[in-house]
Amino acid sequence: MAAKPFASSGDLADKEQTLEVLADGVYALTAEGDPNVGAVEGEDFLVCFEALATPTAAREWLARLREHTDKPVKYLVLSHYHAVRVLGASAFDAEVVIAHDNTRALIAERGKQDWESEFGRMPRLFKEPESIPGLTWPSLTFSERLTIPLGGDRGELELRYCGRGHTEGDLVAWLPQQRILFAGDLVEAEAALYTGDAFHLDWSTSTLDAVASLEAEALVGGRGAVARGRDQVRAAIEQTRHFLRVMIREVRAERERGGTLKGAFDACHAALAGTYGRWPIFEHCLPFDVARLWDELSGVERPVIWTAERDREVWDRLQG
């Protein structure tokens, strides 16, 4: 059997992007399982959510957005530190770049290694990587909640920390008046979860509970289609939770029977592939997901830093 291409290195086909207007002045750009981005209009400014992997990729998104609004970007909100979410930030020329306190610390601790890792895993997303000026640093951070008044009759945008999940610094952007939630990678709508930097036990319980408690009527996840209506929103959250719970169950069982990391990977693959195997980046993510969860259940509190070299080692061991 031929070896599987490393991570998403063999995924070179462009994805169709869809810009959706979710409410007056509320936009989402989805792309068949590629990272989603969004924007919210204030009275005389824009808040953009996520920055994509390079300034070139971000400028393409902004060109689409400019077909609807010419307001300047005042705030750029970053849901977490991963390179494909943040390295395009310079294209927005935002007055303020916002992230969670923990995200700033993670950029300092492992931002460079994450950049090299994600470039190797997902080269197609890095359009003109030479356009990246360096690491993206937030200019404003918070610990629990930050509110942005939108002006006029537009209400406000609440940035909330729901707990450790996809990383230890994920935030969500909540529009209580419109009941629209930008959930970042805490929720995926029919796209596989990447959990290589995750806290699975918190994420699958209290963190998703906090997300669900908002009772959003539309949800933009990190990848996948927009969930519309409470039933679809609930389904996206519970699919995310189920993926995590199956992984926890299978890895825990393998550890308890004195098994191996490879055994845990094979068990997770067998348990998940029937339901989730068709989802984007499933094969890419699962080795890194299982490696982190194995560590977590072994007592390794914080995720080990992923480097390009460690990526290849884990891939060859589990998917080779």
Side-chain angles (χ1 to χ4, degrees):
M1 183 181 294
K4 294 177 181 177
F6 171 68
S8 290
S9 62
D11 179 8
L12 302 177
D14 287 337
K15 302 297 189 286
E16 182 178 355
Q17 295 184 332
T18 302
L19 194 154
E20 300 182 54
V21 182
L22 306 182
D24 180 33
V26 184
Y27 308 95
L29 187 76
T30 63
E32 298 184 309
D34 275 1
N36 295 336
V37 292
V40 177
E41 289 189 46
E43 190 171 20
D44 56 3
F45 62 88
L46 280 172
V47 183
C48 285
F49 189 73
E50 310 287 39
L52 296 174
T54 69
T56 296
R59 280 191 286 270
E60 292 178 2
W61 148 233
L62 287 168
R64 296 285 301 273
L65 185 59
R66 290 306 178 206
E67 297 172 7
H68 296 265
T69 176
D70 61 0
K71 294 175 182 177
V73 179
K74 184 172 184 179
Y75 302 99
L76 173 62
V77 178
L78 305 175
S79 69
H80 62 286
Y81 76 96
H82 285 153
V84 296
R85 301 293 184 184
V86 305
L87 292 180
S90 63
F92 293 82
D93 196 26
E95 290 184 31
V96 184
V97 178
I98 305 175
H100 190 265
D101 292 341
N102 291 343
T103 291
R104 172 184 277 280
L106 287 162
I107 292 168
E109 178 188 45
R110 59 185 70 197
K112 184 175 186 298
Q113 295 95 322
D114 181 72
W115 178 353
E116 294 168 353
S117 167
E118 296 208 352
F119 180 67
R121 294 188 196 179
M122 296 172 280
R124 179 178 52 79
L125 299 182
F126 286 79
K127 295 183 178 181
E128 298 185 12
E130 64 277 7
S131 66
I132 302 170
L135 292 173
T136 296
W137 294 97
S139 56
L140 174 64
T141 64
F142 68 96
S143 61
E144 296 298 330
R145 188 177 302 187
L146 188 152
T147 300
I148 299 173
L150 297 174
D153 61 357
R154 293 183 175 274
E156 58 189 25
L157 179 67
E158 296 179 6
L159 305 181
R160 296 187 178 208
Y161 181 63
C162 294
R164 301 187 303 183
H166 174 72
T167 72
E168 58 190 307
D170 301 276
L171 61 82
V172 302
W174 170 234
L175 289 161
Q177 181 169 300
Q178 299 86 347
R179 307 208 67 77
I180 296 171
L181 180 67
F182 292 88
D185 281 319
L186 286 176
V187 180
E188 309 291 15
E190 297 198 5
L193 274 61
Y194 175 67
T195 74
D197 296 300
F199 295 80
H200 299 75
L201 303 181
D202 288 1
W203 187 2
S204 62
T205 55
S206 57
T207 298
L208 283 179
D209 289 346
V211 174
S213 72
L214 295 172
E215 298 186 338
E217 295 177 2
L219 182 149
V220 184
R223 296 174 182 258
V226 177
R228 295 176 179 270
R230 289 196 178 182
D231 287 347
Q232 285 191 14
V233 169
R234 189 178 301 111
I237 294 170
E238 292 312 313
Q239 285 172 343
T240 299
R241 195 193 304 270
H242 182 256
F243 192 105
L244 293 165
R245 284 179 170 172
V246 171
M247 284 183 56
I248 293 166
R249 181 192 73 205
E250 296 299 328
V251 175
R252 181 173 279 147
E254 179 71 10
R255 284 187 46 76
E256 288 176 352
R257 59 178 167 257
T260 64
L261 177 61
K262 181 65 165 70
F265 171 78
D266 291 342
C268 284
H269 195 285
L272 291 166
T275 301
Y276 304 106
R278 62 181 175 83
W279 287 10
I281 66 172
F282 174 80
E283 296 291 348
H284 166 170
C285 292
L286 197 60
F288 310 113
D289 295 354
V290 174
R292 165 54 189 157
L293 180 52
W294 183 272
D295 281 353
E296 185 177 2
L297 296 179
S298 303
V300 179
E301 174 65 14
R302 300 186 66 246
V304 178
I305 295 174
W306 290 102
T307 64
E309 295 75 19
R310 182 169 178 247
D311 288 352
R312 291 282 182 173
E313 177 188 344
V314 168
W315 182 269
D316 290 344
R317 185 174 176 187
L318 300 184
Q319 283 279 43

